[in-house]
Amino acid sequence: MNNEFILAPSILSADFTRLGEQIAECEAAGADWIHVDVMDGHFVPNLTMGPFIVEACRRVTKLPLDVHLMVESPERLLEAFAKAGASHLTVHVEACPDLRSTLQEIKALGCAAGVTLNPDTPIASIEPVLHMVDLALVLTVHPGYSGQAFLPETTPKVAALRRMLDAIGSPAWLEVDGGISAQTLPEVRAAGANAFVAAHAVFDYPEGIAAGIKVLREQLNKNHGLRRDL
Ligand code: ZN
């Protein structure tokens, strides 16, 4: 990966009648990963996409597919998503009966292993597995729907997770997901995030996808500095 900061458009806000074109537009505009928000209608009320969509994405882009499983007992589905072409599989601590074995299975399938937690879940719940993960995701909205407003109370959680990862010397990506825009991105970047999911701010940007990505990248390239006081 060449970029110090990762921009991962979430296709949750894409126009699915033009999914291939829109992913190509993201790639051409400099997106680093494509984020796929999988919801099962159970762990979260909404129902979105499964391995079939991941497989379709895999055919149209070489970018890593960053698959976020908002799914109860995700261990049932890991192999199907890996076979479909997922590059990263991120699971929720709240949804895994045996988080360690689930993360081990993700790695055994050849994918990068990610862990995440809901805004109301204490960060201590994922501390015991941080040494095992390639990616730690902080949800900055309550999961379930695209287009929600960023929750500012999640920023200290990003900062706390940055300290935990640094303390164990982990090179894991610290990703944020939910309500990320040119306005909210500087705050979470200053807290130590280095991978940024954006849905609405890319796919619904008034001047188009490429312009939306450009605006976010400009924010990432500014030197906001890391704040240790958060
Ligand atoms: Zn997500």
Side-chain angles (χ1 to χ4, degrees):
M1 196 55 57
N2 298 323
N3 285 324
E4 182 186 2
F5 295 103
I6 296 292
L7 209 50
S10 163
I11 59 169
L12 191 57
S13 290
D15 173 354
F16 270 68
T17 65
R18 300 175 51 234
L19 185 61
E21 285 166 53
Q22 293 203 332
I23 289 175
E25 205 175 333
C26 288
E27 188 167 353
D32 300 288
W33 303 342
I34 298 296
H35 189 80
V36 183
D37 281 307
V38 177
M39 305 184 190
D40 67 349
H42 183 61
F43 180 69
V44 287
N46 201 3
L47 185 61
T48 61
M49 42 204 135
F52 191 73
I53 298 284
V54 171
E55 198 272 327
C57 294
R58 185 71 293 160
R59 274 186 275 131
V60 296
T61 183
K62 290 196 166 43
L63 293 180
L65 298 177
D66 182 39
V67 178
H68 173 194
L69 296 172
M70 285 167 268
V71 167
E72 198 66 49
S73 297
E75 65 280 0
R76 298 169 294 129
L77 298 166
L78 300 176
E79 192 174 353
F81 278 102
K83 279 188 176 158
S87 313
H88 314 156
L89 288 171
T90 296
V91 295
H92 273 261
V93 60
E94 304 89 352
C96 291
D98 184 344
L99 182 58
R100 281 172 187 271
S101 73
T102 301
L103 293 169
Q104 281 163 354
E105 192 184 340
I106 293 171
K107 286 175 175 256
L109 287 164
C111 297
V115 68
T116 186
L117 71 178
N118 287 335
D120 295 337
T121 303
I123 212 154
S125 65
I126 62 167
E127 193 171 10
V129 299
L130 285 181
H131 66 284
M132 300 174 63
V133 300
D134 305 295
L135 184 154
L137 170 65
V138 175
L139 265 178
T140 44
V141 297
H142 294 286
Y145 298 92
S146 179
Q148 296 185 69
F150 174 79
L151 298 171
E153 63 268 30
T154 58
T155 303
K157 214 166 171 177
V158 176
L161 192 49
R162 168 49 62 210
R163 285 191 290 270
M164 284 180 183
L165 290 170
D166 288 353
I168 59 169
S170 168
W173 294 104
L174 203 179
E175 187 175 41
V176 285
D177 181 5
I180 301 301
S181 66
Q183 289 71 45
T184 58
L185 188 151
E187 180 179 332
V188 278
R189 195 197 127 166
N194 58 2
F196 304 82
V197 176
H200 186 67
V202 170
F203 291 99
D204 298 322
Y205 196 76
E207 282 79 42
I209 289 171
I213 288 179
K214 184 164 175 268
V215 166
L216 293 172
R217 184 70 73 193
E218 280 167 4
Q219 282 298 329
L220 285 178
N221 290 341
K222 280 185 192 166
N223 185 13
H224 295 285
L226 190 60
R227 282 180 57 192
R228 293 290 179 185
D229 57 326
L230 289 164

